[in-house]
Amino acid sequence: LVDFWASWCHPCRNEVKETIVPMYKEYKNKGLEILGVSLDNDRNPWKEAVEEEKMSWSQVVCLNGFENPGKKYGIEAIPYNILLDQNGKIIARNFHGEELKKKISELFDSKSK
């Protein structure tokens, strides 16, 4: 899961807290990997948000907002995510909340059966 977010984005922070953190705890040992891509302009609020929300997965920040990678990937609003399979093929875009949980469950719970 590539998750585009920013420290100042309240919907992003809510999604991380309510959906992504619990989902990661449940599926990280089954193979779920997450890359957080911050569209922040300032390193300090970004670092504080990562700690506050307990984002224990890999994180990157370019410190230039939507300029890059936002524009490169056509992202006009956040939160935004891209779900990739193990080969890098896009299998879903911009799923949130229950819809994202359901998709992750379908992918990982079917593997363990």
Side-chain angles (χ1 to χ4, degrees), residues 21-33:
V21 167
M23 192 176 65
Y24 186 63
K25 286 179 182 175
E26 183 173 351
Y27 292 103
K28 69 180 179 182
N29 291 332
K30 293 183 178 184
L32 177 64
E33 295 291 338

Side-chain angles (χ1 to χ4, degrees), residues 35-84:
L35 174 62
V37 180
S38 172
L39 302 182
D40 274 278
N41 290 311
D42 186 338
R43 180 178 304 278
N44 290 330
W46 166 69
K47 287 175 110 176
E48 289 170 8
V50 169
E51 288 178 25
E52 286 173 13
E53 305 304 345
K54 298 175 177 49
M55 295 185 230
S56 58
W57 51 87
S58 298
Q59 295 282 335
V60 294
V61 62
C62 296
L63 300 176
N64 56 4
F66 277 85
E67 283 303 310
N68 187 19
K71 279 187 179 177
K72 182 176 182 176
Y73 293 102
I75 298 167
E76 296 178 4
I78 52 176
Y80 187 89
N81 59 50
I82 301 170
L83 186 59
L84 307 168

Side-chain angles (χ1 to χ4, degrees), residues 1-2 30-33 82-92 104 107-108 110-111:
L1 181 70
V2 182
K30 293 183 178 184
L32 177 64
E33 295 291 338
I82 301 170
L83 186 59
L84 307 168
D85 69 10
Q86 62 215 36
N87 299 312
K89 179 182 173 192
I90 296 173
I91 54 177
I104 295 295
L107 293 170
F108 287 98
S110 65
K111 283 183 180 180

